[in-house]
Amino acid sequence: MDKVLSVSLGEIALKGLNRKYFEDQLIKHMRRSIKDLGFEKIYKEQGKIYIEAEETKFPQMINRLRKVFGLVYISPCIRVGKDVEVIEKAVLKMVKCKIEKDKIKTFKVDTNRADKNFPIKSPDFSRQMGGVVLKTFNELSVDVHNPDTLIYIDIKQNVYIYADKIKGYGGMPIGTNGKGLLLLSGGIDSPVAGFLMAKRGVEISAVHYHSYPFTSERAEEKVKDLASILSKYTGKITMYSVNLLNIQKEINAKCPEKEMTILSRRFMMRIAEGIAEKQKLNALITGESLGQVASQTIEGISVTNAAVKLPVFRPLIGLDKIDIIEIAKDIETFETSTLPFEDCCTVFLPKHPVTKPKIEDIERSEEALDIDYLIDKAIESMTITTIE
């Protein structure tokens, strides 16, 4: 009677001939997540992944594994052979644990007989095991509709008995849907955008813009702290730090004040595209939400998009701020995001920013700027940090 962790897959289970590729990527990220804790073996068995490790390490492993995209549930299991008496003992042990831990009064047994060579059909075996439980624990009763606990029995090559399902984030394994460059500010939105695209299998790098010395070094450290929190979900992040101050000075000196925000935004996108193309990244990712600030109107987003050719992913585009904050709290970036350190967007901030820019007006203003020179100088002076 062994203790193992079982991992249930989400969308990966629906994949066809390339399912093995997704499973292998998932296992790679699982290994990365728990490698320092130590484990004996990770193996696949009929639709699930199992981990052999010391039971004392299960809580830490579960906490880390639930952050690995592609997993929907993690369950501590008792693993036994197909001897019915041994299965009974394992079921009783699991039920006793639930009584002591959760003070349950009702239960239901749910059997999944993946191995059709096992002689007893699933409904019959559930009733048989339920009878054993009732005979042993007089204080319990069966509730098939709303039980305090479900006792699951998976009959495969081995038999697995479990009761708890710790929810993961689901999604797709990192790296199975290309690579993206996240425009990471110190605010609430962009870390959430990075999290959501990573959940869809995108490998994340990040670019951060600052205006040092107008913005402090601590403001940049705050963004690195956010990247560090994100890396718990995404794995290693390469972060490019770009000083935007010279570009902002040029815009302030030569362009209408009201266009500062949208012009700066177009430069950010162009610089990000330059980095992405050089690093062979497939898309840009932003934390924009429609109508949230002056530059995030339909007109503003359209003018921003026109500056680049790469696809731009905006996973927050239709979310309310409350929804975004809830995700930020869940992934533990909210507290860091709300620290009171300025970012580059506060430098030369116009009193009345244009909210419905026209592309012809913006392009006319940009004629006063040496765009290629300014972009090249900004990229040449950027710093690169690897964050894990």
Side-chain angles (χ1 to χ4, degrees), residues 59-156:
Q60 280 182 287
M61 286 186 170
I62 290 169
N63 185 48
R64 294 192 191 181
L65 289 169
R66 64 180 297 271
K67 296 180 177 70
V68 176
F69 297 127
L71 311 185
V72 290
Y73 292 110
I74 307 147
S75 299
C77 300
I78 299 174
R79 181 182 62 188
V80 296
K82 294 174 187 171
D83 183 286
V84 174
E85 289 186 6
V86 176
I87 297 172
E88 287 179 1
K89 290 178 181 178
V91 169
L92 293 175
K93 183 175 181 179
M94 183 62 70
V95 172
K96 183 180 179 183
C97 178
K98 293 298 290 183
I99 292 172
E100 294 173 350
K101 178 184 173 184
D102 298 329
K103 313 300 181 186
I104 65 167
K105 298 296 183 183
T106 61
F107 75 99
K108 177 185 175 181
V109 178
D110 186 352
T111 302
N112 176 30
R113 187 179 62 126
D115 180 4
K116 302 308 179 186
N117 291 320
F118 189 76
I120 309 173
K121 293 182 178 180
S122 296
D124 296 333
F125 198 67
S126 292
R127 282 191 290 269
Q128 181 177 329
M129 291 298 108
V132 171
V133 172
L134 288 173
K135 184 178 179 180
T136 306
F137 301 102
N138 296 326
E139 69 272 28
L140 296 184
S141 61
V142 173
D143 185 341
V144 296
H145 300 296
N146 189 30
D148 293 338
T149 191
L150 274 163
I151 303 298
Y152 299 95
I153 305 173
D154 286 352
I155 303 173
K156 304 179 177 181

Side-chain angles (χ1 to χ4, degrees), residues 10-20 22 172 177 200:
E11 294 176 58
I12 296 173
L14 304 177
K15 298 296 179 182
L17 296 176
N18 58 349
R19 174 172 170 168
K20 183 179 183 301
F22 287 92
M172 303 295 291
N177 272 324
R200 297 310 308 154

Side-chain angles (χ1 to χ4, degrees), residues 309-329:
K309 296 177 181 178
L310 277 179
V312 182
F313 295 149
R314 296 180 170 91
L316 310 186
I317 197 68
L319 296 186
D320 293 338
K321 192 68 174 186
I322 293 173
D323 299 328
I324 298 168
I325 288 172
E326 286 302 310
I327 299 172
K329 288 180 178 178

Side-chain angles (χ1 to χ4, degrees), residues 110-233:
D110 186 352
T111 302
N112 176 30
R113 187 179 62 126
D115 180 4
K116 302 308 179 186
N117 291 320
F118 189 76
I120 309 173
K121 293 182 178 180
S122 296
D124 296 333
F125 198 67
S126 292
R127 282 191 290 269
Q128 181 177 329
M129 291 298 108
V132 171
V133 172
L134 288 173
K135 184 178 179 180
T136 306
F137 301 102
N138 296 326
E139 69 272 28
L140 296 184
S141 61
V142 173
D143 185 341
V144 296
H145 300 296
N146 189 30
D148 293 338
T149 191
L150 274 163
I151 303 298
Y152 299 95
I153 305 173
D154 286 352
I155 303 173
K156 304 179 177 181
Q157 182 178 342
N158 297 285
V159 178
Y160 300 92
I161 297 95
Y162 57 99
D164 295 319
K165 286 180 158 185
I166 296 94
K167 195 172 181 181
Y169 285 105
M172 303 295 291
I174 296 289
T176 57
N177 272 324
K179 302 177 180 180
L181 182 63
L182 171 67
L183 278 69
L184 182 62
S185 72
I188 295 169
D189 300 339
S190 57
V192 174
F195 168 83
L196 290 177
M197 291 313 304
K199 183 180 174 182
R200 297 310 308 154
V202 178
E203 184 179 319
I204 301 294
S205 298
V207 57
H208 169 61
Y209 298 100
H210 61 89
S211 301
Y212 184 80
F214 283 32
T215 55
S216 66
E217 292 183 2
R218 185 63 190 91
E220 187 174 359
E221 287 301 314
K222 169 186 170 180
V223 177
K224 290 180 180 178
D225 291 342
L226 286 171
S228 180
I229 297 168
L230 265 185
S231 72
K232 296 176 183 178
Y233 304 89

